[in-house]
Amino acid sequence: MALGTMTWGGDTDPDEAASQLVAFVDAGGTLVDTGDIYAEGEAERMLGALLADLVPREDVVLATKTVARRTDGPFGGGASRGALLSALEGSLRRLGTDHLDLWQLHAWDAGVPVEETLSALDYAVTSGKVRYVGVSNYAGWQLATAAALSAPAAGVVSGQFEYSLLERGIEREVVPAAAHHGVGILPWAPLGRGVLTGKYRTGTPADSRGASAEYAGYVEYHRTERAARIVQAVVTAAEGLGTSPLAVALAWVRDRPGVIAPVVGARDTGQLTGSLAAEALTLPPAIRSALDDVSGIEFGYPERGTR
Protein backbone atom coordinates (compact mmCIF):
# COMPACT_ATOMS: atom_id res chain seq x y z
CA MET A 1 0.00 0.00 0.00
CA ALA A 2 0.97 3.64 -0.51
CA LEU A 3 -0.16 6.46 1.78
CA GLY A 4 -2.17 9.21 0.10
CA THR A 5 -2.37 12.72 1.55
CA MET A 6 -5.08 14.44 -0.51
CA THR A 7 -6.98 15.57 2.61
CA TRP A 8 -3.93 16.72 4.59
CA GLY A 9 -4.09 20.40 5.39
CA GLY A 10 -7.86 20.31 4.92
CA ASP A 11 -9.96 17.62 6.62
CA THR A 12 -6.81 16.07 8.13
CA ASP A 13 -5.04 18.24 10.72
CA PRO A 14 -1.32 18.05 11.63
CA ASP A 15 -1.81 15.80 14.67
CA GLU A 16 -3.87 13.26 12.74
CA ALA A 17 -1.44 13.39 9.81
CA ALA A 18 1.45 12.69 12.19
CA SER A 19 -0.38 9.72 13.67
CA GLN A 20 -1.10 8.31 10.21
CA LEU A 21 2.46 8.70 8.98
CA VAL A 22 3.91 6.98 12.04
CA ALA A 23 1.41 4.12 11.81
CA PHE A 24 2.15 3.71 8.10
CA VAL A 25 5.93 3.61 8.53
CA ASP A 26 5.70 1.36 11.59
CA ALA A 27 3.67 -1.09 9.53
CA GLY A 28 6.43 -1.23 6.92
CA GLY A 29 4.98 1.29 4.48
CA THR A 30 7.37 3.37 2.41
CA LEU A 31 5.66 5.17 -0.49
CA VAL A 32 4.00 8.46 0.55
CA ASP A 33 2.16 10.33 -2.19
CA THR A 34 1.14 13.98 -2.20
CA GLY A 35 0.51 16.78 -4.71
CA ASP A 36 1.32 20.45 -5.04
CA ILE A 37 -2.35 21.45 -5.26
CA TYR A 38 -3.53 19.49 -2.23
CA ALA A 39 -4.87 22.13 0.18
CA GLU A 40 -3.07 24.74 -1.93
CA GLY A 41 0.33 23.32 -1.03
CA GLU A 42 -0.42 22.79 2.65
CA ALA A 43 -0.29 18.98 2.28
CA GLU A 44 3.30 19.21 1.04
CA ARG A 45 4.25 21.65 3.82
CA MET A 46 2.67 19.40 6.45
CA LEU A 47 4.43 16.31 5.13
CA GLY A 48 7.74 18.16 4.93
CA ALA A 49 7.46 19.21 8.57
CA LEU A 50 6.74 15.64 9.65
CA LEU A 51 9.72 14.31 7.71
CA ALA A 52 11.90 16.89 9.42
CA ASP A 53 10.70 16.18 12.95
CA LEU A 54 9.03 12.77 13.17
CA VAL A 55 10.00 10.28 10.47
CA PRO A 56 13.44 10.26 8.82
CA ARG A 57 13.35 11.41 5.20
CA GLU A 58 15.38 8.38 4.15
CA ASP A 59 12.68 6.03 5.49
CA VAL A 60 10.13 7.00 2.85
CA VAL A 61 9.79 7.03 -0.92
CA LEU A 62 8.58 10.60 -1.40
CA ALA A 63 6.25 11.24 -4.34
CA THR A 64 4.43 14.37 -5.43
CA LYS A 65 2.57 15.62 -8.48
CA THR A 66 2.29 18.80 -10.52
CA VAL A 67 0.66 20.33 -13.65
CA ALA A 68 -2.69 21.47 -12.21
CA ARG A 69 -2.87 25.26 -11.83
CA ARG A 70 -1.65 26.56 -8.50
CA THR A 71 -1.44 30.31 -9.08
CA ASP A 72 -2.04 32.91 -11.76
CA GLY A 73 0.69 33.81 -14.22
CA PRO A 74 2.58 31.98 -16.99
CA PHE A 75 4.33 29.54 -14.65
CA GLY A 76 1.48 28.87 -12.22
CA GLY A 77 0.37 25.63 -13.84
CA GLY A 78 0.58 23.44 -16.91
CA ALA A 79 3.31 21.26 -18.34
CA SER A 80 5.56 23.79 -20.06
CA ARG A 81 9.26 23.62 -19.20
CA GLY A 82 9.09 26.87 -17.25
CA ALA A 83 5.97 25.90 -15.31
CA LEU A 84 7.26 22.43 -14.42
CA LEU A 85 10.66 23.57 -13.20
CA SER A 86 9.05 26.37 -11.20
CA ALA A 87 6.68 23.83 -9.65
CA LEU A 88 9.55 21.51 -8.84
CA GLU A 89 11.38 24.19 -6.89
CA GLY A 90 8.18 24.99 -4.99
CA SER A 91 7.58 21.35 -4.06
CA LEU A 92 11.17 20.85 -2.91
CA ARG A 93 10.90 23.97 -0.75
CA ARG A 94 7.58 22.99 0.86
CA LEU A 95 8.71 19.41 1.43
CA GLY A 96 12.03 20.53 2.89
CA THR A 97 14.11 18.16 0.78
CA ASP A 98 16.74 18.40 -1.93
CA HIS A 99 15.20 15.70 -4.11
CA LEU A 100 12.00 13.83 -4.90
CA ASP A 101 11.96 10.08 -5.28
CA LEU A 102 9.03 10.18 -7.71
CA TRP A 103 7.81 13.29 -9.57
CA GLN A 104 4.53 12.81 -11.42
CA LEU A 105 2.67 14.78 -14.07
CA HIS A 106 -0.83 15.14 -12.63
CA ALA A 107 -2.52 15.46 -16.02
CA TRP A 108 -1.83 15.67 -19.76
CA ASP A 109 -1.39 19.20 -21.08
CA ALA A 110 -2.61 19.38 -24.68
CA GLY A 111 -1.36 22.96 -24.98
CA VAL A 112 2.32 22.04 -24.70
CA PRO A 113 4.37 19.85 -27.09
CA VAL A 114 5.07 16.60 -25.28
CA GLU A 115 8.75 16.88 -26.21
CA GLU A 116 8.98 20.12 -24.19
CA THR A 117 7.31 18.53 -21.20
CA LEU A 118 9.61 15.52 -21.33
CA SER A 119 12.69 17.73 -21.64
CA ALA A 120 11.82 19.25 -18.26
CA LEU A 121 11.55 15.78 -16.74
CA ASP A 122 14.92 14.86 -18.22
CA TYR A 123 16.52 17.97 -16.71
CA ALA A 124 14.94 17.24 -13.32
CA VAL A 125 16.42 13.74 -13.27
CA THR A 126 19.87 14.56 -14.67
CA SER A 127 20.18 17.47 -12.22
CA GLY A 128 19.65 15.08 -9.30
CA LYS A 129 16.51 16.85 -8.05
CA VAL A 130 14.29 13.92 -9.08
CA ARG A 131 15.05 10.20 -9.00
CA TYR A 132 12.16 8.84 -11.11
CA VAL A 133 9.24 10.27 -13.07
CA GLY A 134 5.66 9.17 -13.57
CA VAL A 135 2.33 10.37 -14.91
CA SER A 136 -1.24 10.46 -13.65
CA ASN A 137 -4.68 10.37 -15.27
CA TYR A 138 -3.29 9.82 -18.78
CA ALA A 139 -5.27 8.09 -21.50
CA GLY A 140 -3.72 4.98 -23.02
CA TRP A 141 -2.30 6.78 -26.07
CA GLN A 142 -0.94 9.59 -23.88
CA LEU A 143 0.82 7.14 -21.59
CA ALA A 144 2.29 5.25 -24.55
CA THR A 145 3.47 8.48 -26.18
CA ALA A 146 5.17 9.74 -23.03
CA ALA A 147 6.77 6.38 -22.32
CA ALA A 148 8.03 5.99 -25.88
CA LEU A 149 9.46 9.51 -26.21
CA SER A 150 10.94 9.99 -22.74
CA ALA A 151 14.72 10.09 -22.49
CA PRO A 152 16.46 6.96 -21.16
CA ALA A 153 17.54 8.82 -18.01
CA ALA A 154 13.99 9.98 -17.31
CA GLY A 155 11.86 7.09 -18.52
CA VAL A 156 8.29 7.00 -17.24
CA VAL A 157 8.17 4.32 -14.53
CA SER A 158 4.69 4.72 -13.06
CA GLY A 159 1.16 5.91 -13.70
CA GLN A 160 -1.56 6.87 -11.21
CA PHE A 161 -5.10 6.13 -12.32
CA GLU A 162 -8.45 5.69 -10.64
CA TYR A 163 -8.84 1.94 -10.41
CA SER A 164 -11.19 -0.16 -8.31
CA LEU A 165 -14.04 -2.63 -8.61
CA LEU A 166 -16.22 0.39 -9.41
CA GLU A 167 -13.86 1.92 -11.97
CA ARG A 168 -12.18 -0.52 -14.34
CA GLY A 169 -12.04 1.65 -17.47
CA ILE A 170 -8.24 1.66 -17.58
CA GLU A 171 -8.31 -2.03 -18.45
CA ARG A 172 -9.33 -1.15 -22.02
CA GLU A 173 -6.20 0.70 -23.12
CA VAL A 174 -4.16 2.06 -20.20
CA VAL A 175 -3.30 -1.30 -18.62
CA PRO A 176 -2.09 -2.82 -21.92
CA ALA A 177 -0.05 0.32 -22.69
CA ALA A 178 1.50 0.23 -19.21
CA ALA A 179 2.38 -3.45 -19.56
CA HIS A 180 3.96 -2.90 -22.99
CA HIS A 181 6.16 -0.05 -21.76
CA GLY A 182 6.99 -1.48 -18.34
CA VAL A 183 5.06 1.19 -16.44
CA GLY A 184 3.77 0.27 -12.97
CA ILE A 185 0.22 1.22 -11.96
CA LEU A 186 -0.55 3.10 -8.73
CA PRO A 187 -4.35 2.97 -8.29
CA TRP A 188 -5.94 5.98 -6.64
CA ALA A 189 -9.38 5.68 -5.03
CA PRO A 190 -8.95 1.89 -4.76
CA LEU A 191 -11.97 1.83 -2.44
CA GLY A 192 -14.23 3.46 -5.03
CA ARG A 193 -13.94 6.82 -3.23
CA GLY A 194 -15.06 5.08 -0.04
CA VAL A 195 -18.19 3.50 -1.50
CA LEU A 196 -16.70 -0.03 -1.52
CA THR A 197 -16.42 -0.02 2.28
CA GLY A 198 -20.20 -0.43 2.35
CA LYS A 199 -20.76 2.55 4.64
CA TYR A 200 -23.01 4.35 2.16
CA ARG A 201 -25.44 1.48 1.61
CA THR A 202 -28.14 2.91 3.88
CA GLY A 203 -27.27 6.59 3.95
CA THR A 204 -24.44 9.07 4.41
CA PRO A 205 -22.56 8.85 7.73
CA ALA A 206 -22.08 12.28 9.29
CA ASP A 207 -18.33 11.77 9.67
CA SER A 208 -17.73 10.53 6.11
CA ARG A 209 -16.35 12.31 3.06
CA GLY A 210 -19.79 11.98 1.52
CA ALA A 211 -21.08 14.38 4.18
CA SER A 212 -18.28 16.88 3.52
CA ALA A 213 -19.09 19.94 1.42
CA GLU A 214 -15.73 19.58 -0.31
CA TYR A 215 -15.95 15.87 -1.13
CA ALA A 216 -19.67 15.10 -1.40
CA GLY A 217 -19.67 15.29 -5.19
CA TYR A 218 -16.49 13.22 -5.34
CA VAL A 219 -18.19 10.37 -3.46
CA GLU A 220 -21.58 10.76 -5.17
CA TYR A 221 -19.98 9.89 -8.52
CA HIS A 222 -19.94 6.21 -7.51
CA ARG A 223 -23.30 6.01 -5.74
CA THR A 224 -25.17 4.34 -8.60
CA GLU A 225 -27.34 1.25 -9.01
CA ARG A 226 -24.46 -0.60 -10.67
CA ALA A 227 -22.18 0.34 -7.79
CA ALA A 228 -24.75 -0.90 -5.28
CA ARG A 229 -24.72 -4.36 -6.87
CA ILE A 230 -20.93 -4.49 -6.76
CA VAL A 231 -20.83 -3.29 -3.16
CA GLN A 232 -23.28 -5.99 -2.15
CA ALA A 233 -21.06 -8.62 -3.76
CA VAL A 234 -18.07 -7.25 -1.84
CA VAL A 235 -20.01 -7.30 1.43
CA THR A 236 -21.13 -10.89 0.80
CA ALA A 237 -17.55 -11.94 0.06
CA ALA A 238 -16.31 -10.23 3.22
CA GLU A 239 -18.91 -11.99 5.35
CA GLY A 240 -17.91 -15.34 3.90
CA LEU A 241 -14.23 -14.70 4.55
CA GLY A 242 -14.72 -13.21 8.00
CA THR A 243 -13.10 -9.94 7.03
CA SER A 244 -14.14 -6.40 6.04
CA PRO A 245 -15.46 -5.12 2.69
CA LEU A 246 -12.53 -2.68 2.76
CA ALA A 247 -10.03 -5.55 2.88
CA VAL A 248 -11.75 -7.43 0.06
CA ALA A 249 -11.84 -4.37 -2.21
CA LEU A 250 -8.19 -3.52 -1.55
CA ALA A 251 -6.99 -7.10 -2.00
CA TRP A 252 -8.79 -7.29 -5.34
CA VAL A 253 -7.13 -4.20 -6.82
CA ARG A 254 -3.74 -4.88 -5.21
CA ASP A 255 -3.44 -8.16 -7.11
CA ARG A 256 -4.53 -6.89 -10.53
CA PRO A 257 -1.94 -7.24 -13.31
CA GLY A 258 0.52 -4.37 -13.38
CA VAL A 259 -0.45 -2.87 -10.03
CA ILE A 260 2.42 -1.76 -7.78
CA ALA A 261 0.57 -0.37 -4.77
CA PRO A 262 -2.91 1.05 -4.19
CA VAL A 263 -2.78 4.63 -2.84
CA VAL A 264 -4.94 4.71 0.28
CA GLY A 265 -6.08 7.82 2.09
CA ALA A 266 -7.81 7.70 5.44
CA ARG A 267 -10.06 9.83 7.61
CA ASP A 268 -8.21 8.74 10.71
CA THR A 269 -5.48 6.37 11.87
CA GLY A 270 -7.94 3.62 12.73
CA GLN A 271 -9.23 3.59 9.17
CA LEU A 272 -5.68 3.55 7.83
CA THR A 273 -4.81 0.62 10.08
CA GLY A 274 -7.75 -1.28 8.61
CA SER A 275 -6.46 -0.63 5.11
CA LEU A 276 -2.95 -1.78 5.99
CA ALA A 277 -4.35 -4.98 7.51
CA ALA A 278 -5.71 -5.90 4.08
CA GLU A 279 -2.15 -6.81 3.07
CA ALA A 280 -2.63 -10.12 4.87
CA LEU A 281 -5.68 -11.12 2.80
CA THR A 282 -5.46 -13.27 -0.32
CA LEU A 283 -8.76 -13.71 -2.14
CA PRO A 284 -9.72 -17.29 -3.06
CA PRO A 285 -9.94 -17.79 -6.85
CA ALA A 286 -13.72 -18.37 -6.74
CA ILE A 287 -14.37 -15.08 -4.95
CA ARG A 288 -11.99 -13.17 -7.23
CA SER A 289 -13.77 -14.61 -10.25
CA ALA A 290 -17.19 -13.65 -8.87
CA LEU A 291 -16.03 -10.08 -8.23
CA ASP A 292 -14.52 -9.92 -11.72
CA ASP A 293 -17.86 -10.95 -13.20
CA VAL A 294 -20.08 -8.56 -11.26
CA SER A 295 -17.81 -5.56 -11.92
CA GLY A 296 -16.79 -6.39 -15.47
CA ILE A 297 -16.72 -3.75 -18.21
CA GLU A 298 -17.52 -4.11 -21.90
CA PHE A 299 -14.71 -4.56 -24.39
CA GLY A 300 -15.32 -3.94 -28.07
CA TYR A 301 -13.33 -3.28 -31.16
CA PRO A 302 -10.38 -2.81 -31.21
CA GLU A 303 -9.58 -3.98 -27.68
CA ARG A 304 -11.36 -7.31 -28.14
CA GLY A 305 -9.94 -7.77 -31.65
CA THR A 306 -11.63 -8.65 -34.91
CA ARG A 307 -13.91 -11.58 -35.47
Side-chain angles (χ1 to χ4, degrees), residues 18-39:
S19 177
Q20 290 186 21
L21 183 61
V22 169
F24 178 71
V25 173
D26 284 351
T30 55
L31 177 56
V32 183
D33 179 71
T34 189
D36 63 4
I37 61 165
Y38 293 167

Side-chain angles (χ1 to χ4, degrees), residues 96 137 157 232 253:
N137 302 313
V157 301
Q232 184 56 54
V253 73

Side-chain angles (χ1 to χ4, degrees), residues 7-302:
T7 63
W8 287 22
D11 288 352
T12 303
D13 63 28
D15 289 340
E16 179 55 42
S19 177
Q20 290 186 21
L21 183 61
V22 169
F24 178 71
V25 173
D26 284 351
T30 55
L31 177 56
V32 183
D33 179 71
T34 189
D36 63 4
I37 61 165
Y38 293 167
E40 300 180 343
E42 187 58 30
E44 285 187 333
R45 281 187 286 270
M46 188 180 294
L47 178 55
L50 295 176
L51 292 177
D53 299 334
L54 194 62
V55 172
R57 165 70 177 86
E58 60 269 22
D59 286 355
V60 303
V61 177
L62 184 58
T64 192
K65 299 180 286 293
T66 192
V67 168
R69 183 153 291 279
R70 304 172 308 281
T71 62
D72 295 333
F75 304 125
S80 70
R81 182 181 178 89
L84 288 176
L85 296 182
S86 176
L88 175 58
E89 294 301 327
S91 286
L92 292 173
R93 183 177 62 254
R94 287 186 293 272
L95 288 164
T97 185
D98 62 358
H99 74 279
L100 300 173
D101 297 307
L102 178 63
W103 193 36
Q104 304 156 100
L105 301 177
H106 213 157
W108 176 269
D109 187 347
V112 177
V114 66
E115 293 84 359
E116 178 181 345
T117 297
L118 295 174
S119 74
L121 301 185
D122 184 51
Y123 170 79
V125 172
T126 56
S127 69
K129 295 180 179 180
V130 168
R131 300 294 190 254
Y132 297 94
V133 297
V135 298
S136 181
N137 302 313
Y138 273 33
W141 70 268
Q142 294 167 345
L143 173 62
T145 299
L149 295 180
S150 56
V156 175
V157 301
S158 67
Q160 276 201 41
F161 309 94
E162 182 171 7
Y163 193 22
S164 72
L165 280 160
L166 300 185
E167 182 56 85
R168 295 178 60 182
I170 68 167
E171 293 178 7
R172 294 187 179 93
E173 294 190 351
V174 171
V175 171
H180 181 76
H181 289 282
V183 175
I185 296 172
L186 295 167
W188 61 263
L191 293 173
R193 311 188 184 193
V195 175
L196 284 166
T197 63
K199 62 185 173 186
Y200 295 107
R201 285 191 297 161
T202 59
T204 303
D207 62 348
S208 68
R209 286 185 183 176
S212 162
E214 184 175 0
Y215 293 108
Y218 173 81
V219 173
E220 195 66 26
Y221 177 79
H222 281 316
R223 297 181 71 176
T224 65
E225 291 185 7
R226 173 181 176 274
R229 292 193 295 272
I230 297 170
V231 170
Q232 184 56 54
V234 171
V235 170
T236 300
E239 291 172 348
L241 294 171
T243 187
S244 67
L246 179 151
V248 170
L250 278 180
W252 180 90
V253 73
R254 179 200 63 204
D255 295 336
R256 298 299 291 173
V259 168
I260 300 172
V263 181
V264 295
R267 182 183 66 252
D268 54 42
T269 305
Q271 191 179 68
L272 175 62
T273 301
S275 294
L276 297 175
E279 285 280 28
L281 176 64
T282 299
L283 296 179
I287 287 181
R288 176 169 292 279
S289 178
L291 294 174
D292 288 349
D293 290 344
V294 74
S295 65
I297 58 174
E298 291 187 6
F299 286 84
Y301 175 83

